[in-house]
Amino acid sequence: MSRNVVVSLLRGGVVIIVVAAVCGVASGASSPEKLHVGLSASFALSGGGAVWVTDHTGNQVVRVDPAAGRVVRRSKVGGYPFGLAYGAGSLWVGSRHGDVVTRLDPATGKRKARIAVGSAPYALAYGGGSVWVTNENSGTVSRIGPKRNKVIKTIRVGGGPNGIAVAFGKVWVADYRRGRLIRVNASRNRVEQSIRIPTADWITPAAGSLWVSSETGFVYTVDPATMNVTSKIAVGQNPLASTVAGNQLWVPNIDSGTVSVIDLATGTVTSTEPAGPQPIAVVAGGSSAWVTSELDGDLWRFAL
């Protein structure tokens, strides 16, 4: 699938080159099961003993019991719900068309607060006692204080911020539009440094590094202390929201309809697994890896 279609759906030192073949499927994961969750299945999150999935077409957030492998609750959240975070005893959901973040009680699914943020919130992360939200069209990051349910700081990063992570004492932002990885000082609420990574889209902290998905079909590893790219790993077409599962990084490839499984110790692709149409995100929960399939609203479940 081309970037233009994705936009409509989603918005839609020394460099060691590690190239791994992704044609064909290597056996490594057992045959997956499928669970239908809604009209679409975009981002996913593991937290509070559940797997949470946003269905932006159905304007809902779906709670899945990972042990039983079934849907246990659906909570209405309007405005094209997309990014998710879990923290401060709550589930946080960004609505791209509503420019708001909704705070939900994870036990009941009821709304606790709605907080206005920037334009087209994309991804959310919880860390340092705050919820951090990338606003793609505003070129900003909103920092939400859970105690007062309000934005306590708006940080201008420019470009088109997509993925965000809180790790190694910093906040990290992937700027797709300008092709940068940005480091933000959380104490001073300002940008410290940035480096060039083409079409940077998602950030997953793991094994002492940052693993950054690029829509060029690579995952870059970055040393968080030096901000140097340390490797570049070929995966499938248009990789996005990866997750750590044990000693592996699972990377969904939207345009390939596959998931690349990377060994974190060696930085090599050990298997390439078929998934549903437009797999956007992977999350680990209940001894399984769950892969969202946006076009048909399914979750693909792989045993770990």
Side-chain angles (χ1 to χ4, degrees):
M1 183 177 65
S2 68
R3 173 67 185 184
N4 290 335
V5 177
V6 174
V7 169
S8 69
L9 294 172
L10 303 187
R11 346 215 180 267
V14 175
V15 179
I16 304 168
I17 307 296
V18 183
V19 181
V22 294
C23 54
V25 176
S27 61
S30 59
S31 298
E33 302 172 355
K34 289 196 292 185
L35 173 66
H36 191 67
V37 295
L39 297 176
S40 60
S42 47
F43 281 138
L45 175 75
S46 180
V51 169
W52 309 86
V53 184
T54 48
D55 171 7
H56 59 68
T57 304
N59 283 313
Q60 63 180 344
V61 177
V62 181
R63 177 173 179 160
V64 173
D65 181 334
R70 63 183 180 89
V71 173
V72 294
R73 183 185 301 116
R74 302 176 187 274
S75 301
K76 283 295 179 182
V77 178
Y80 202 104
F82 204 54
L84 294 161
Y86 194 95
S90 300
L91 180 71
W92 306 79
V93 187
S95 293
R96 285 182 63 74
H97 294 170
D99 300 341
V100 297
V101 169
T102 301
R103 183 177 189 174
L104 296 178
D105 183 332
T108 64
K110 293 183 178 180
R111 189 177 76 189
K112 300 172 69 175
R114 276 167 56 92
I115 304 106
V117 291
S119 176
Y122 188 95
L124 285 72
Y126 182 83
S130 298
V131 179
W132 306 81
V133 186
T134 55
N135 305 305
E136 184 176 26
N137 290 346
S138 300
T140 61
V141 172
S142 298
R143 182 176 187 173
I144 297 173
K147 289 184 179 180
R148 297 186 178 182
N149 289 320
K150 63 182 296 184
V151 173
I152 58 177
K153 192 69 179 180
T154 299
I155 305 166
R156 179 156 295 280
V157 296
N162 280 194
I164 189 166
V166 183
F168 309 111
K170 304 290 181 179
V171 178
W172 307 87
V173 180
D175 174 7
Y176 167 83
R177 201 166 292 154
R178 295 184 181 175
R180 301 177 299 162
L181 173 66
I182 301 167
R183 187 173 71 192
V184 174
N185 186 312
S187 299
R188 298 185 177 183
N189 293 308
R190 69 182 189 189
V191 173
E192 283 187 333
Q193 188 178 349
S194 66
I195 61 170
R196 170 72 177 165
I197 294 183
T199 59
D201 220 356
W202 196 261
I203 308 163
T204 303
S209 296
L210 299 165
W211 302 69
V212 184
S213 298
S214 163
E215 288 195 11
T216 57
F218 292 94
V219 171
Y220 290 74
T221 60
V222 177
D223 183 323
T226 64
M227 291 281 282
N228 289 331
V229 172
T230 55
S231 69
K232 179 181 174 184
I233 306 162
V235 288
Q237 299 176 33
N238 196 2
L240 192 56
S242 60
T243 198
V244 175
N247 63 350
Q248 299 173 326
L249 185 76
W250 285 59
V251 184
N253 306 304
I254 299 173
D255 293 355
S256 299
T258 61
V259 178
S260 298
V261 182
I262 300 174
D263 184 287
L264 289 170
T266 63
T268 57
V269 175
T270 58
S271 68
T272 302
E273 306 298 335
Q278 295 182 11
I280 290 178
V282 189
V283 65
S287 301
S288 299
W290 303 82
V291 184
T292 63
S293 177
E294 186 177 45
L295 280 190
D296 57 14
D298 287 342
L299 268 181
W300 287 51
R301 181 183 190 179
F302 294 84
L304 294 173

